Amino acid sequence: MAEAPARGPRRLRPRPRRRHPTSSRGSSEAALDYGTRGIRVNVVSPGTIDTPMVRKSLGAEHDEARFAEMREERVRTHMAGMRRMGAPEEVAAAVLMRSADDASFISGATLYVDGGATSALT
């Protein structure tokens, strides 16, 4: 087997990227591509969060009593882990944590903000 001649230090080149990187795999690829430029790429993956969109999907956009009933039913039948919906502020806190200077060595990672629901899938 022939060896290539030594040409000095090998340059790192970005790996070919998929056209539309998604989810944790996309963040890993993007982290490799952009890490040498000092750009961190992470994913925050929220679970069911109490938002107007979720309330609308449950058919309880303007009815607090109906929303409470539907929320309890959904928690009982579909949610593992902490068995509650998250708050938008909890997702915002996760994003702030990942973007802080103290997290400057975290890149290419996925943070699940779902009250432990993803852990029940593994």
Side-chain angles (χ1 to χ4, degrees):
M1 182 168 178
E3 290 186 31
R7 297 182 187 174
R10 197 171 95 186
R11 291 183 137 172
L12 292 177
R13 295 181 186 197
R15 300 180 336 171
R17 287 178 285 174
R18 294 184 303 184
R19 187 173 186 144
H20 300 288
T22 59
S23 188
S24 59
R25 182 176 173 101
S27 69
S28 297
E29 290 177 8
L32 290 172
D33 290 347
Y34 296 107
T36 57
R37 299 179 194 165
I39 299 170
R40 296 181 289 139
V41 179
N42 292 293
V43 171
V44 175
S45 182
T48 304
I49 305 299
D50 183 358
T51 63
M53 184 175 77
V54 168
R55 287 174 179 247
K56 185 175 182 178
S57 74
L58 293 174
E61 190 173 13
H62 302 292
D63 186 345
E64 195 63 39
R66 175 146 171 78
F67 174 68
E69 178 185 319
M70 297 298 293
R71 179 184 60 219
E72 293 309 314
E73 174 67 21
R74 181 150 178 90
V75 165
R76 186 171 50 259
T77 59
H78 292 88
M79 293 185 179
M82 298 177 95
R83 303 190 64 81
R84 68 174 179 85
M85 287 187 184
E89 296 81 10
E90 291 171 307
V91 177
V95 171
L96 286 173
M97 178 185 73
R98 281 290 168 96
S99 61
D101 289 340
D102 289 342
S104 64
F105 202 58
I106 299 173
S107 189
T110 299
L111 177 62
Y112 295 96
V113 185
D114 63 1
T118 303
S119 298
L121 300 174
T122 58

